[in-house]
Amino acid sequence: MKTFMIERYDDKAGVRAADMPDPQVGADDVLVRIHAASVNPLDLKIRDGDLKAILPYRLPLILGNDLAGTVVQVGSAVTRFAVGDEVYARPDQDRIGTFAELIAVHQDDVAIKPATLTMEEAASLPLVALTSWQALVERAHVQPGQKVLIHAGSGGLGTIAVQLAKALGAHVAATASTAKVDLVKDLGADIVVDYKKQDFETVLHDYDVVLDSLGGETLEKSLRVLKPGGKVISVAGPPDAAFARELDANAILRLAMSALSFKTRRRAKRRHVTYSFLFMKAGGDQLRKLTALIEAGKIRPVVDRVFPFNQTREAMEYVEKGRAKAGKVVVTMV
């Protein structure tokens, strides 16, 4: 099968097209012919080796973390899917590789594609939709009337998180650049802070939850807008000891992660708020819940640009250079 893969880390020019053996299909797997996949910042971090301490992949490695496609084979123990089903998924972190013609995915990580979406639209969703769900529903337990701040509201994660928070009944604020304020308002944000004109921490206060996808100074400032008992959940800040325990990391790595997040956790504690790091997980059941919201018109994908599969490397460069105006970048195999 045709793929885009890497043979070594930290080699931007090393993402290349290559023929690889077709996947082996286990008893609980579905084999999916991929119609479309999306590009995530996670793909860039994996390519560059930034995550090799926590995600020790064996090279060569096929990149890609989102897919939409058609089931072409099912394992002997598969009960939920049949050949011909149109599905979408974020494969488990140990089984990535959606920049390819085929992939074998455990049935628990797959969901039927929303009927209202194209393959390209569906492929843009799994990673960011699952991240939004796990942050806002599982981790923050957002309730109607609570105040939620979403950073980078026009980004791949932000566009979905804003809509999910609104669907949960929250009062939603988001940050965005001047050119994207109207888009983020159209997605449902009650307040959009133009970060080119205002500092969000001087405008917003007494928030229950912040979803941070930027880290650094933005994360520090986010602590200041929370009310006592509030939570900041970050996908870009320093990993913490809880994440190390999730990974079942060794004692040295647990200590290292705890040290990395020590200053942030200490600042949070002084303000009587909490900080946690989130690394999303695959989950077909959660995708099915999200599908219901999508088909009810409460969440819609935002796709910036679609590249043909033979331009996958160019699609990654487009994301890396920040050229996307809003939402996700997708590659299509068709």
Side-chain angles (χ1 to χ4, degrees):
M1 66 176 178
K2 291 180 171 57
T3 73
F4 273 85
M5 46 81 77
I6 56 170
E7 292 180 300
R8 63 182 183 274
Y9 289 125
D10 200 19
D11 181 5
K12 292 178 173 56
V15 178
R16 65 180 184 89
D19 287 327
M20 298 283 278
D22 288 356
Q24 293 186 334
V25 182
D28 286 296
D29 293 344
V30 295
L31 183 67
V32 180
R33 182 168 300 282
I34 299 172
H35 291 247
S38 74
V39 180
N40 294 282
L42 178 61
D43 299 305
L44 306 175
K45 291 180 180 180
I46 292 172
R47 177 202 65 189
D48 294 343
D50 294 345
L51 302 176
K52 59 187 177 183
I54 58 175
L55 295 175
Y57 291 116
R58 182 180 298 175
L59 301 177
L61 174 69
I62 303 170
L63 296 173
N65 284 274
D66 282 311
L67 72 95
T70 304
V71 176
V72 294
Q73 183 183 337
V74 296
S76 59
V78 171
T79 57
R80 289 177 171 162
F81 303 96
V83 171
D85 284 345
E86 293 188 343
V87 297
Y88 69 150
R90 192 287 199 210
D92 184 76
Q93 64 188 30
D94 296 327
R95 301 183 66 178
I96 69 169
T98 63
F99 296 163
E101 292 181 305
L102 296 165
I103 191 170
V105 187
H106 195 287
Q107 64 173 334
D108 289 349
D109 299 334
V110 181
I112 296 294
K113 178 185 78 67
T116 53
L117 302 184
T118 66
M119 287 288 186
E120 290 77 16
E121 289 171 331
S124 74
L125 286 173
L127 188 144
V128 293
L130 287 168
T131 302
S132 300
W133 184 274
Q134 289 165 24
L136 300 177
V137 178
E138 282 199 328
R139 185 76 61 89
H141 308 291
V142 171
Q143 301 297 312
Q146 286 191 313
K147 295 167 68 174
V148 176
L149 168 61
I150 309 293
H151 283 301
S154 66
L157 174 59
T159 53
I160 305 305
V162 165
Q163 295 177 82
L164 177 58
K166 199 64 186 172
L168 294 170
H171 172 91
V172 182
T175 57
S177 65
T178 308
K180 299 166 186 175
V181 167
D182 287 344
L183 167 68
V184 180
K185 284 184 178 177
D186 188 54
L187 293 173
D190 299 288
I191 299 172
V192 182
V193 179
D194 181 348
Y195 65 78
K196 291 181 178 289
K197 297 178 179 178
Q198 293 177 300
D199 291 324
F200 71 89
E201 77 276 16
T202 66
V203 179
L204 308 175
H205 55 86
D206 293 328
Y207 273 68
D208 297 280
V209 180
V210 177
L211 176 54
D212 165 54
S213 57
L214 300 173
E217 186 179 3
T218 299
L219 172 57
E220 281 192 36
K221 291 179 178 179
S222 295
L223 298 172
R224 302 174 200 163
V225 307
L226 290 168
K227 69 181 185 182
K231 302 174 182 178
V232 58
I233 300 163
S234 179
V235 298
D240 54 16
F243 173 59
R245 288 193 295 272
E246 286 179 23
L247 287 178
D248 196 23
N250 61 45
I252 294 173
L253 193 54
R254 288 200 301 271
L255 284 171
M257 289 188 183
S258 182
L260 283 170
S261 61
F262 175 73
K263 288 183 179 179
T264 302
R265 289 184 289 109
R266 183 175 62 183
R267 290 189 186 104
K269 188 174 182 179
R270 286 173 177 169
R271 292 185 170 274
H272 306 288
V273 301
T274 59
Y275 165 78
S276 63
F277 174 78
L278 175 69
F279 192 89
M280 61 77 58
K281 300 175 183 176
D285 286 343
Q286 292 175 355
L287 273 181
R288 280 182 277 279
K289 293 173 183 175
L290 286 155
T291 295
L293 292 172
I294 293 162
E295 294 188 331
K298 299 197 179 281
I299 294 176
R300 61 179 172 89
V302 179
V303 176
D304 176 85
R305 183 173 170 184
V306 178
F307 286 78
F309 182 55
N310 61 6
Q311 293 181 19
T312 295
R313 190 166 74 179
E314 289 83 352
M316 294 180 69
E317 290 171 354
Y318 181 84
V319 171
E320 184 172 26
K321 292 177 181 177
R323 292 177 179 170
K325 295 178 179 66
K328 294 291 293 293
V329 171
V330 174
V331 294
T332 180
M333 283 63 170
V334 181

